[in-house]
Amino acid sequence: MKKILILNGPNLNLLGKREPGVYGNQSFEDYLETLKGTFPDLELHYYQSNHEGALIDKIHEVGFSFDGIVINAGGYTHTSIALADALSSVTTPAVEVHISNIHARESFRHHSYLTARCKGMICGLGLKGYELAIRYFQ
């Protein structure tokens, strides 16, 4: 059974409460149950942290044994060379996901340090982007 890590960064623990006009009304924990039902033949693991080092540690932990990483680094997308280096340091491929269209938002959100280290990027499709990223690893 393939193992996929869904890795969410800062403030994504507030999905369903935070800016529902941008991020929707559903918590990620509720959506994760939907994903598990959609992909019963995959072993989906979920980790969220508001701390950059914890995200890096998780990438290192699974980066040589899992089949894929779906990463939404939140605000760290636009600031963290260290997360980009962590993705480059492991053999597990990653797909970058953003719930909102980062290119239609503030200019500082237009650049991602992660994109060049990922197989692809999905943005602006809401939570559905996670499903599409997981499908890549099937």
Side-chain angles (χ1 to χ4, degrees), residues 102-115:
I102 62 173
H103 303 290
R105 297 187 64 193
E106 303 93 338
S107 61
F108 70 86
R109 295 186 195 275
H110 297 178
H111 179 264
S112 167
Y113 283 102
L114 308 183
T115 303

Side-chain angles (χ1 to χ4, degrees), residues 51-134:
H51 304 281
E52 183 178 30
L55 297 169
I56 292 167
D57 288 343
K58 185 55 80 170
I59 292 168
H60 291 175
E61 178 186 322
V62 307
F64 297 95
S65 59
F66 275 43
D67 298 291
I69 298 171
V70 175
I71 182 168
N72 181 344
Y76 289 137
T77 299
H78 321 291
T79 63
S80 182
I81 294 168
L83 272 174
D85 286 348
L87 290 172
S88 291
S89 299
V90 299
T91 57
T92 299
V95 173
E96 180 181 359
V97 170
H98 299 284
I99 296 166
S100 67
N101 181 350
I102 62 173
H103 303 290
R105 297 187 64 193
E106 303 93 338
S107 61
F108 70 86
R109 295 186 195 275
H110 297 178
H111 179 264
S112 167
Y113 283 102
L114 308 183
T115 303
R117 295 351 194 284
C118 292
K119 292 291 185 183
M121 191 249 284
I122 300 165
C123 73
L125 301 179
L127 292 175
K128 181 81 169 172
Y130 290 90
E131 177 187 338
L132 297 172
I134 293 167

